[in-house]
Amino acid sequence: MAITQFDSESIKQSITGKLQRYNGITVAEATPQQLYKAVASTVRDQIMQKWMVFRERWINEKGKRVYYLSVEFLTGRALNCNLLNLCSQENYQKALRELNIDLQDILVEEPEPALGNGGLGRLAACFLDSLASLSIPAMGCTIRYEYGLFRQKMVDGQQVELPDSWLQNGNAWEIAAVEDTCQVQFGGRIEEREENGRMVFHLEDAYTIDAVPYDMPVIGYDNQCVNTLRTWSARSRERIDLRSFGEGEYIKAMEEMQMAEVISKVLYPEDKHYEGKMLRLKQHYFFTSATLQNALKTFKRQYGNHLELLPDKVVFHINDTHPGLAIPEMMRLLIDQEGLDWETAQRITYRCMAYTNHTVMAEALERWPVEMMRQTLPRIFMILEELNRRVCESLFQSYPDQWDRIGRMAIIAYGQVHMANLCVALSFSVNGVSQLHGKILTDTIFHDYWLLDRKKFSAITNGITHRRWLLESNPALTSLIRDAIGDGFYKDAQQLERLKPLAEDGAFRDRFDQVKRSNKERLRKLIHQRQNIDFDINFIFDVQAKRLHEYKRQLLNALHIQVLYNRLVDDPGFSMPPRLFLFGAKAAPGYWRAKLIIRYINALSTLIEKHPRARQMLKVVYLENYDVSTAEVLMPAAEISQQLSTAGKEASGTGNMKFMMNGAVTLGTMDGANVEIYEQVGAENIYIFGMRADTVESMYREGIYNPMSIYETNFEIRKAMNQWLDGTVFPSEPLAMQDLYHMLLQGDHGGMADPYFVLKDFGSYSMANRRIVEDYQDRQKWLRMAVINTAMSGYFSSDRTIREYNEKIWHIDPIL
Ligand code: 26W
């Protein structure tokens, strides 16, 4: 029975009723997990009707919809976010209190869907929240991974990966839309036949897999919109293939079933480093094909065969190249299934596809071996070949005889399918995720395409949903801000700017400080409870939280900590304001150098603890299993936000925005969206260090960088690095750090030494750190900066980002 009222009485009734019907127990008997499920399914009941009505309105009003295709959606827990967006937090709190239950105890029972690695997936989740809150019809489409990103455990200072079986106790939010099940085919061979004077292509002996969609609601903030996150699950078709069972091939039939279902088994834990694994290719095609088939079916139900209307009614957003096979798949559907001619199909396809690039790192650019593509997706490969032929033909018109150039721009070249070129050539829009990143795209990897069609390219700076990252995760700050400027910023984050004058108000600053302290205390409790580590909240909370990558330079941070340690140990006269360095980062399981950096950080932590004087001013804590829920407690407690990527390497960064919004001051390079943060807060409210992107670029080009000379001239660096090898850092295994030592000074496998300029930027980083601790001691000055950071963070709401996407790319009328 759907509940239409949101009052606490009906909430209570629903919860008790559910426990009675499904578990046969009373509220008093229920475990927190059972309570969570009863509460979540009560919320779900409440929105079912709204969900249906919004979908119907989209159909009836013949509106346009964006399908946001992404191999990752890192949503985090949904219950609290849903309550917030339904404006029902208070009613639920009250209802539960009357049942003697603390809502906070229930929220933590929700298993966190970790269907993403990092920035790309979290951005997709923030976008869905903003799309719904702006009433823009949208469907997020991805894979229903049975296992999300691994859980990280520290064993003897080293990362160990554990499986994340988030669906073990069921998923209270999803609904199987079995009626939309469709088939996806792999392998086989193509038969060409002439039918009615037209060449047709049949796929024979292919292996067919069922794609079953599970839908989760995405609720807009205080409006009528409920969008959908659709996750596709792979199921074997021949569940009960009587023939093979009859022939006694029971075990073989079961094996095949498993092979089919492996497609949606697990999320690949590498972000950045791309590897041409066949299973990954299958994953990408699987959810892309299912999404497009389904979108086309929905379209035809509304508009019949008027396929020329398709670009007015749907847009497919390709979130990085992973769903790029949407392009040949749409061609396949339009030609093979709908009977359109090639030119018409290509024109329609082009006008439906928009692509966002999220990285320029060469090793992350997706390229598939031609043979793998041909074998796995023979018809798709045929289409890619023809697309490539036509693209190259037209490139030849623009760049006659420039074969090198055409080779770099081709979809297929040197035995590989180049996914970024496919997406650039055949989408109507290509965008980068910060101003700097957009510029680098059109200056470098997409320069040749940009010369041919400049209008196609844009840069739209990323954003974060301020509902999750401020209203939900930082209730104390939210209520302080509400008291000061009213609650207009709930819906319009730009209004946070009205806080700016309050930076000059001493009483306000004190309250701001109190809020920060309470959030530091909340984090202390969490870490104490989870890792049995304790610390003093009077330390400066200095945080670097993001995936572990060489280009993000956790190593720079760690090396600097070791230098501080040496200063404390060597000079009894040296002292500093007590500082806690917090790290949160998972490393890809096969990225052994990243894992070594984790060991190094943990070893530093141990080293410092052993020194009675050093540990009074210095502490290092490695947060285990950094995930969305941890971030929600971490960001509000941070005072310094470390954003250290080598300039030009971090496309945007979004953690930087979350820290800023919660009043942390950035210590960072001029990279990605740090540049825009700098522009928002001004030079006095941020600590910028290091080489600029253009300098980095010329250092690479000229090949003159010699880190050895820095090692030789900088005593502090030399001493720290020597301690890596002399048993100071790793007493039991002095050789462990040899790899990092050589990487920084010699380079490996013919690669350059210190390719991310850790030593080059060290001096400037160290100076910025001196300024930061000096300023921190001027309490009022520091608080002023913190307030300004929150006040100027409204620009980074993903509502602004989504508005820009809609104005520049999608052109969708909201359904209000
Ligand atoms: C195929 C392996 C692979 C997997 C993931 C290659 C590349 C990726 C992503 C594109 C990596 C990623 O998450 N990029 C991040 O995207 C964020 C959202 O735009 C940006 O804020 C980050 O700077 C960028 O690193």
Side-chain angles (χ1 to χ4, degrees), residues 304-344:
N305 282 328
H306 294 288
L307 292 164
E308 71 284 356
L309 279 180
L310 198 67
D312 299 329
K313 299 300 171 188
V314 297
V315 50
F316 298 98
H317 205 94
I318 302 174
N319 196 30
D320 215 87
T321 55
H322 319 132
L325 292 175
I327 292 162
E329 176 67 358
M330 181 53 85
M331 294 292 292
R332 184 186 73 84
L333 292 170
L334 293 178
I335 295 170
D336 294 359
Q337 187 182 298
E338 304 300 328
L340 297 190
D341 61 82
W342 185 282
E343 285 73 21
T344 311

Side-chain angles (χ1 to χ4, degrees), residues 119-120 270-272 280 320 358 364 433 462 551 650-653:
L120 168 100
E270 289 88 33
D271 72 332
K272 298 288 146 34
R280 190 172 199 144
D320 215 87
H358 294 265
V433 291
N462 279 168
Y551 84 85
E650 189 70 274
S652 163

Side-chain angles (χ1 to χ4, degrees), residues 71-72 117-121 123 270-275 280 284 319-320 322 356-359 363-366 433 462 551-552 649-655:
V71 78
E72 306 185 359
N117 274 287
L120 168 100
L123 184 77
E270 289 88 33
D271 72 332
K272 298 288 146 34
H273 203 90
Y274 155 74
E275 235 188 313
R280 190 172 199 144
H284 294 179
N319 196 30
D320 215 87
H322 319 132
T356 298
N357 171 286
H358 294 265
T359 178
E363 63 269 33
L365 294 180
E366 238 188 319
V433 291
N462 279 168
Y551 84 85
K552 293 177 189 281
K649 297 293 176 195
E650 189 70 274
S652 163
T654 44

Side-chain angles (χ1 to χ4, degrees), residues 266-434:
V266 60
L267 168 79
Y268 274 91
E270 289 88 33
D271 72 332
K272 298 288 146 34
H273 203 90
Y274 155 74
E275 235 188 313
K277 285 275 193 306
M278 173 132 38
L279 180 58
R280 190 172 199 144
L281 178 62
K282 288 184 179 168
Q283 285 191 336
H284 294 179
Y285 182 66
F286 168 74
F287 91 97
T288 308
S289 171
T291 299
L292 263 60
Q293 291 183 48
N294 188 242
L296 207 54
K297 191 173 97 181
T298 310
F299 172 85
K300 288 179 72 178
R301 234 186 271 138
Q302 294 182 71
Y303 305 99
N305 282 328
H306 294 288
L307 292 164
E308 71 284 356
L309 279 180
L310 198 67
D312 299 329
K313 299 300 171 188
V314 297
V315 50
F316 298 98
H317 205 94
I318 302 174
N319 196 30
D320 215 87
T321 55
H322 319 132
L325 292 175
I327 292 162
E329 176 67 358
M330 181 53 85
M331 294 292 292
R332 184 186 73 84
L333 292 170
L334 293 178
I335 295 170
D336 294 359
Q337 187 182 298
E338 304 300 328
L340 297 190
D341 61 82
W342 185 282
E343 285 73 21
T344 311
Q346 189 172 329
R347 202 164 47 242
I348 293 175
T349 301
Y350 184 92
R351 292 180 52 214
C352 287
M353 300 290 167
Y355 156 60
T356 298
N357 171 286
H358 294 265
T359 178
V360 289
M361 306 267 290
E363 63 269 33
L365 294 180
E366 238 188 319
R367 289 188 169 101
W368 294 102
V370 157
E371 273 322 306
M372 191 187 288
M373 188 71 84
R374 195 203 309 274
Q375 264 177 39
T376 315
L377 305 166
R379 179 61 181 139
I380 291 299
F381 183 69
M382 272 181 93
I383 294 172
L384 287 171
E385 280 189 308
E386 179 60 13
L387 285 170
N388 182 53
R389 195 187 61 75
R390 289 172 185 246
V391 165
C392 290
E393 200 173 79
S394 105
L395 289 175
F396 192 82
Q397 304 295 315
S398 314
Y399 298 126
D401 288 323
Q402 300 186 35
W403 293 109
D404 261 9
R405 198 172 206 173
I406 295 173
R408 282 198 309 268
M409 299 172 79
I411 297 170
I412 304 175
Y414 314 109
Q416 292 183 316
V417 179
H418 193 310
M419 293 301 288
N421 284 347
L422 169 69
C423 293
V424 173
L426 288 142
S427 305
F428 71 89
S429 160
V430 176
N431 79 289
V433 291
S434 71

Side-chain angles (χ1 to χ4, degrees), residues 126-127 130 463-466 796-803:
C126 283
F127 278 11
S130 286
I464 56 170
T465 166
H466 66 288
F796 298 103
S797 165
S798 45
D799 292 358
R800 188 268 312 148
T801 313
I802 289 299
R803 277 197 197 93

